[in-house]
Amino acid sequence: MNPAREAELTRRSYYTATVPALAPRSVLQGAETADVCVVGGGLAGLSAALELRARGFSVVVLEAMQIGWGASGRNGGQVIVGHANDAPYVDQLGLVEAKRAWDISVEGTDLLRARIAEYHIDCDYTPGWLYLAVNQRKARELQSGFEFNRDQFSYPHQTWISSKEIGNCIASPRFVAGYHDARSGHLHPLKYTRGIAAAAEKSGAKLFENSRVTEIVRGAKPIVRTAQGSVSCQFVLLAGNCYLGNLIPEIDRRIMPVGTYVVASNPLSPALADSLIKDRAAVCDSNFILDYFRPSADHRLIFGGRVSYSTMTPIDLDNSMRARMLKVFPQLGSDLKVDYSWGGFVDITMNRAPDFGRLAENIYYLQGFSGHGLALTGIAGKLAAEAIAGQAERFDIYARLKHLPFPGGKLLRTPALVLGMLWYQLRDLV
Ligand SMILES: Cc1cc2nc3c(=O)[nH]c(=O)nc-3n(C[C@H](O)[C@H](O)[C@H](O)COP(=O)(O)OP(=O)(O)OC[C@H]3O[C@@H](n4cnc5c(N)ncnc54)[C@H](O)[C@@H]3O)c2cc1C
């Protein structure tokens, strides 16, 4: 990724502004040995480190920047069951396996809450999530998804909200119907990521920062090299999101970095913040380029939306996001300000299903969360740890999914994607 672009995207993050500055962790220097070397200090890598330690493996985590610097510390904070796209599981693996994958994703949200409790992570977790439609056609699509989850996945935690009831759930003219999910919710992602890192470290994992992996020498005992050191290990787990770049070309071509943006408003009065969304749930609409928002613990509106397929930050981001917020909540009027705006890259796959697998018997990877990874990364790390410990059954449900490389290779994949996305945006408008 372009360092200047990343610096711009992290400059004004509400999350960074609301956590204490930490002393940097050590840089890897010299030769280390470990059973497992994890590449990437985001939630996928940290979760795997925690689970591997619980199974008795020695673990080194190498992070190119700082722990939580990537998507895990910058996201919209929405903890959501399911996957960015559940359809490929049904289409490719059949209903039984698709239900198992769905259940694993639900376990992911349970695992997240259990870890918050077990490690006393103060991260403002609030239960409840609304998935809403902006017109009747989309409401019908959403309802059939809701019925599918209820009837085929036997998932009982979602409640349909009709057009008559929607006004009781959200004080907005924008939505016509949708559903509430009680197992989903929202939190402060950087606080949560730091909490998981602290738990992993306490359990005995060694975490290094400013230690970018530059080479992986494959073999029975892989060697993972950085500028100043190396780790000799039995297993490697790659959890670098799209920031891994060219390190491993064969997995890089199956994901595409898409820029996505979030803003935090000025603090609202507690009463006004309470009046917007029932029980202060998180909200997501079902448009292709979606709006997703939630109140923060200090009564701001944390509002995500807009994407960039060119990896260029949209022009006039603050004003355009403010306009989107006002479209949802016009009552916020001229008092509404944007105090923070930031962004990051999501690693989307062609079919928007996550891409987990092996490059060799002892090299695993987790990628392609497609913007739906806050809870799923946690359980993905657990599945990778299970697989490394010899219980690969659950990991292999995911590993069996087929993923196509983006057409056009590195140079042309972006224009091809932009054309595809324009089609879906037009569909949203019609
Ligand atoms: C703006 C934004 C909003 C989002 N909103 C939501 C949301 O509301 N809900 C949701 O479920 N998901 C959301 N997501 C997606 C979610 O944040 C991600 O799916 C998840 O955090 C991915 O975690 P990860 O550990 O795979 O990657 P990351 O958190 O990106 O971590 C990867 C780490 O690997 C490091 N790394 C890369 N290459 C190397 C190397 N060579 N050597 C060493 N280290 C390396 C990077 O520096 C980085 O820190 C959002 C993402 C973004 C960007």
Side-chain angles (χ1 to χ4, degrees):
M1 310 286 350
N2 177 334
R5 181 87 48 232
E6 285 294 338
E8 186 188 322
L9 289 177
T10 49
R11 197 166 44 92
R12 290 180 57 215
S13 158
Y14 163 74
Y15 300 133
T16 314
T18 47
V19 295
L22 294 181
R25 291 178 170 85
S26 307
V27 176
L28 178 73
Q29 275 169 335
E32 281 273 344
T33 55
D35 295 328
V36 187
C37 180
V38 176
V39 182
L43 282 169
L46 295 168
S47 168
L50 192 56
E51 294 289 337
L52 285 159
R53 284 299 303 136
R55 288 162 181 76
F57 292 89
S58 59
V59 182
V60 165
V61 178
L62 299 177
E63 165 55 46
M65 307 293 286
Q66 293 79 44
I67 296 295
W69 170 89
S72 299
R74 301 188 221 169
N75 59 59
Q78 305 213 357
V79 174
I80 314 168
V81 295
H83 310 87
N85 184 7
D86 288 295
Y89 298 89
V90 183
D91 297 346
Q92 289 191 32
L93 307 179
L95 194 54
V96 172
E97 293 293 270
K99 177 171 166 21
R100 290 189 69 199
W102 172 269
D103 289 345
I104 288 171
S105 85
V106 178
E107 187 186 324
T109 61
D110 295 343
L111 179 68
L112 174 141
R113 286 192 304 277
R115 285 174 169 173
I116 290 172
E118 182 175 353
Y119 304 117
H120 308 288
I121 304 175
D122 176 12
C123 61
D124 312 327
Y125 182 79
T126 308
W129 180 72
L130 294 164
Y131 196 22
L132 303 181
V134 299
N135 60 40
Q136 292 299 343
R137 175 177 65 81
K138 285 180 173 292
R140 285 191 295 278
E141 285 170 9
L142 219 55
Q143 190 162 9
S144 80
F146 160 79
E147 287 167 0
F148 188 92
N149 296 345
R150 182 192 62 198
D151 301 338
Q152 306 299 327
F153 291 160
S154 311
Y155 181 66
H157 302 289
Q158 292 174 342
T159 311
W160 183 251
I161 304 160
S162 68
S163 298
K164 278 195 189 132
E165 297 158 324
I166 191 79
N168 300 329
C169 295
I170 184 160
S172 168
R174 182 142 167 81
F175 306 105
V176 301
Y179 60 81
H180 176 267
D181 188 294
R183 293 290 263 276
S184 302
H186 61 97
L187 49 65
H188 186 305
L190 185 55
K191 289 184 183 174
Y192 175 68
T193 304
R194 284 184 172 193
I196 297 296
E201 220 157 23
K202 200 167 171 205
S203 74
K206 286 190 186 172
L207 276 49
F208 293 95
E209 294 185 329
N210 299 304
S211 303
R212 178 176 298 282
V213 172
T214 51
E215 188 191 1
I216 297 175
V217 183
R218 303 187 194 188
K221 272 195 122 217
I223 298 174
V224 181
R225 291 195 209 284
T226 65
Q228 299 178 49
S230 65
V231 181
S232 165
C233 53
Q234 308 287 338
F235 296 93
V236 178
L237 174 65
L238 300 162
N241 194 347
C242 35
Y243 300 107
L244 275 183
N246 271 336
L247 185 68
I248 311 284
E250 63 257 58
I251 58 171
D252 179 52
R253 61 177 76 105
R254 293 210 297 272
I255 54 169
M256 160 92 199
V258 172
T260 169
Y261 306 91
V262 186
V263 299
S265 75
N266 52 324
L268 310 176
S269 75
L272 180 56
D274 282 347
S275 73
L276 299 178
I277 309 161
K278 187 168 183 267
D279 299 328
R280 302 178 72 106
V283 182
C284 194
D285 74 31
S286 63
N287 285 341
F288 194 75
I289 306 294
L290 47 98
D291 287 339
Y292 51 102
F293 47 93
R294 63 189 186 88
S296 66
D298 60 353
H299 316 297
R300 297 170 192 271
L301 195 56
I302 308 288
F303 198 99
R306 298 212 58 172
V307 292
S308 155
Y309 299 104
S310 64
T311 75
M312 301 292 282
T313 304
I315 296 162
D316 205 12
L317 182 63
D318 289 14
N319 279 327
S320 65
M321 293 292 268
R322 185 174 176 277
R324 288 177 92 112
M325 286 196 263
L326 285 173
K327 208 166 169 186
V328 175
F329 295 119
Q331 65 270 43
L332 297 179
S334 57
D335 289 343
L336 181 72
K337 310 246 170 344
V338 170
D339 279 356
Y340 301 93
S341 58
W342 68 97
F345 292 97
V346 295
D347 47 350
I348 65 165
T349 58
M350 276 278 276
N351 61 16
R352 307 292 185 277
D355 179 17
F356 308 163
R358 299 171 188 80
L359 295 172
E361 278 304 301
N362 55 0
I363 303 188
Y364 289 73
Y365 64 88
L366 300 170
Q367 66 169 11
F369 291 93
S370 302
H372 193 113
L374 180 47
L376 201 62
T377 42
I379 190 72
K382 184 171 182 179
L383 298 190
E386 287 174 3
I388 288 171
Q391 296 287 325
E393 200 203 348
R394 296 188 336 144
F395 184 86
D396 283 342
I397 296 174
Y398 287 83
R400 276 201 293 279
L401 270 191
K402 289 193 181 59
H403 289 275
L404 295 174
F406 277 90
K410 198 120 188 140
L411 280 180
L412 289 176
R413 65 184 174 178
T414 303
L417 185 78
V418 171
L419 277 178
M421 296 301 139
L422 277 174
W423 156 247
Y424 283 106
Q425 286 178 52
L426 277 172
R427 262 190 94 222
D428 275 352
L429 289 175
V430 172

